[in-house]
């Protein structure tokens, strides 16, 4: 399990990450798209899915990306059908991620 500490969404600096298992801080790269008010879900293989949110200047996003702690990298992945922020992302037993609600989003999606 990892706790990631972010900074202002307009910042381009690396972000410190603290792993509860490793017991120390390490630097991770910036996300492919700066975002806040996004949702995060742990995937069954241990990677982390980040969806939607807003950028500096409040540009609502439909984009998604995956963080892989083994390679210490973010990779863009498919976008949601609708832009949304302040939504939920829940990993289901079958590995899909259910994305519900948020502003600018009333439809149900799964990834």
């Amino acid at each position: 399990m990892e706790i990631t500490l972010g900074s202002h969404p307009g910042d381009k600096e690396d972000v410190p990450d603290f792993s509860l298992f490793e017991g120390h801080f390490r630097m991770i790269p910036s996300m492919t798209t700066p975002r806040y008010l996004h949702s995060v879900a742990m995937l069954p293989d241990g990677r982390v899915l980040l969806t939607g949110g807003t950028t500096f200047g409040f540009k609502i996003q439909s984009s998604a990306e995956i963080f892989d702690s083994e390679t210490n990298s973010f990779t863009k992945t498919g976008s949601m059908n609708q832009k949304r922020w302040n939504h939920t992302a829940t990993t289901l037993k079958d590995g899909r991620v259910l994305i519900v609600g948020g502003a600018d989003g009333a439809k149900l999606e799964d990834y």
Side-chain angles (χ1 to χ4, degrees):
M1 177 177 198
E2 295 185 348
I3 300 171
T4 302
L5 307 170
S7 56
H8 191 274
D11 293 345
K12 295 292 185 182
E13 303 165 0
D14 288 343
V15 178
D17 165 60
F18 181 75
S19 172
L20 296 177
F21 295 116
E22 296 172 15
H24 64 275
F25 284 93
R26 67 181 172 140
M27 297 305 287
I28 61 173
S30 297
M31 294 180 274
T32 61
T33 301
R35 61 182 79 227
Y36 67 105
L37 298 175
H38 57 283
S39 288
V40 178
M42 179 75 75
L43 300 175
D45 63 4
R47 295 178 303 154
V48 179
L49 175 68
L50 299 90
T51 59
T54 64
T55 62
F56 184 68
F58 206 70
K59 181 179 177 191
I60 301 171
Q61 300 295 305
S62 63
S63 64
E65 57 191 292
I66 294 176
F67 176 70
D68 186 335
S69 64
E70 291 194 21
T71 62
N72 197 40
S73 63
F74 287 94
T75 305
K76 287 185 179 185
T77 190
S79 293
M80 298 182 292
N81 293 327
Q82 188 170 346
K83 296 177 182 181
R84 53 181 82 221
W85 61 278
N86 204 27
H87 53 290
T88 64
T90 305
T91 305
L92 304 175
K93 288 182 181 181
D94 65 5
R96 292 179 300 152
V97 176
L98 178 66
I99 299 170
V100 179
D104 280 15
K107 296 180 182 177
L108 180 80
E109 294 189 53
D110 66 57
Y111 175 82

